[in-house]
Amino acid sequence: MYLQLPEKVTIIEVGPRDGLQNEKVFISTEIKKQFISGLQSSGLKEMELTSFVSPKWVPQMSDAAEIVSDCLDPSIRSIVLAPNRKGIDRLYMTDCQSVAVFVGVSNTFNRKNINKSTEDSMAELRPIIKELKEKGYFVRACISTAFYCPYEGKIEPADTIKLCRQFVEAGADELSVADTIGMAAPTEAYSLFFMLKNAFPQVLITAHYHDTRKLALANILASLQAGVDRFDTSAGGLGGCPFAPGAAGNAATEDVVYLLERMGIQTGVDLAKLVSAIDIVRPHLTRTIDSAYYQLNTQTV
Ligand code: HMG
Ligand code: MG
């Protein structure tokens, strides 16, 4: 008997967005561009570049317009986050064709993150998604606090599925379902993704794990068993939401690629080039890179 595994997996690199948004010291736009360029050359096919959010709320993303204008690569699905109409209007001023909207299942988290209730966010986003689809955009819906919330505690799977259904009915192409504070157990990961894969066969289903309790790789293995073949990961394991206290970085792209490739699953990502991309941004970070693959393959050991 063997594990049930896909032949290949799509990695959605979120390092330039989730990875950097939580960095307290502003990283120059030039370094961000070089980091993105390094990631683009490593074989990744989908990437979140930045966010059109309020620069007052997330100053690190204040250079989003320049990043988008200079970093689009036609061979890669480049995604930009936008929380509201203003973000979408900023998107329309660019050539970017893919957008990620984001809402928390937890009302309290959503208020802290977007200053609206979950219901009000959906009311604003429904017509926006319809409009985006009419214009031919790819729409990714990021579902935060799908398992646990830093303010409300455990989230019922039924509530997560309900929000996912609202996005699917609104016309989203992809659900990126997030363990925002890295608290899900592999049993919970398997169970939720099994239900989501069965409930929504018509959309792409992606898992987004923060590695706060070092469970991300275990959760990825459990998600693979549930049929998930798309994972959001962040080069260097950077990341965390500024409005989710206690959230550590995302699953590190290099550790996830190593895990998958060791199991014979193709990712198309060149690990040496990935490490070179991390080396570009590392000196400008306030944190260290502690992913196992990076540590074992650089002189930081
Ligand atoms: P607000 O203060 O309620 O908004 O913030 P407002 O409409 O009252 O506007 C306030 C000011 O922001 C105004 O400027 C607006 O023009 C401006 P002022 O007149 O004072 O100079 N503004 C904007 N500027 C640029 N782009 C915009 C925009 N909207 C308003 N789109 C708002 C509401 C949603 C803007 C704010 O709460 C916000 O920016 N939140 C984003 C927070 C964020 O980026 N969080 C991290 C990303 S989500 C995440 O990490 C989770 C994820 O990884 C999955 C997971 O792990 O869970 C995806
Ligand atoms: Mg995240």
Side-chain angles (χ1 to χ4, degrees), residues 202-217:
Q202 69 275 45
V203 298
L204 298 171
I205 306 260
T206 303
H208 177 117
Y209 291 114
H210 284 268
D211 205 14
T212 317
R213 292 167 182 78
K214 299 291 172 205
L215 291 176
L217 290 183

Side-chain angles (χ1 to χ4, degrees), residues 51-117:
S51 321
F52 284 139
V53 294
S54 163
K56 288 181 189 148
W57 284 59
V58 188
Q60 190 66 257
M61 298 285 112
S62 60
D63 54 4
E66 185 176 339
I67 294 289
V68 179
S69 115
D70 289 2
C71 296
L72 291 179
D73 176 337
S75 65
I76 293 177
R77 177 179 285 151
S78 304
I79 307 155
V80 176
L81 266 69
N84 57 8
R85 170 53 69 184
K86 180 146 193 186
I88 298 296
D89 287 342
R90 291 174 69 196
L91 172 84
Y92 286 157
M93 294 172 73
T94 75
D95 292 328
C96 183
Q97 288 300 308
S98 304
V99 61
V101 292
F102 51 100
V103 174
V105 184
S106 152
N107 215 25
T108 314
F109 171 77
N110 205 60
R111 282 190 191 284
K112 303 265 184 196
N113 198 36
I114 313 184
N115 208 16
K116 273 194 170 70
S117 68

Side-chain angles (χ1 to χ4, degrees), residues 15-88:
R17 194 280 303 172
D18 200 324
L20 299 186
Q21 71 184 11
N22 215 15
E23 276 297 306
K24 300 290 172 265
V25 175
F26 188 77
I27 296 164
S28 77
T29 310
E30 187 50 37
I31 292 296
K32 285 178 187 145
K33 288 189 213 171
Q34 289 175 23
F35 178 45
I36 291 169
S37 172
L39 292 169
Q40 286 168 334
S41 68
S42 74
L44 291 154
K45 287 283 166 241
E46 301 194 28
M47 196 179 306
E48 287 185 355
L49 289 185
T50 183
S51 321
F52 284 139
V53 294
S54 163
K56 288 181 189 148
W57 284 59
V58 188
Q60 190 66 257
M61 298 285 112
S62 60
D63 54 4
E66 185 176 339
I67 294 289
V68 179
S69 115
D70 289 2
C71 296
L72 291 179
D73 176 337
S75 65
I76 293 177
R77 177 179 285 151
S78 304
I79 307 155
V80 176
L81 266 69
N84 57 8
R85 170 53 69 184
K86 180 146 193 186
I88 298 296

Side-chain angles (χ1 to χ4, degrees), residues 102-137:
F102 51 100
V103 174
V105 184
S106 152
N107 215 25
T108 314
F109 171 77
N110 205 60
R111 282 190 191 284
K112 303 265 184 196
N113 198 36
I114 313 184
N115 208 16
K116 273 194 170 70
S117 68
T118 302
E119 201 179 318
D120 287 349
S121 280
M122 285 311 294
E124 180 175 19
L125 290 175
R126 259 187 217 99
I128 287 179
I129 294 172
K130 183 166 183 284
E131 175 186 301
L132 286 163
K133 289 312 301 169
E134 283 164 2
K135 289 176 186 280
Y137 283 81

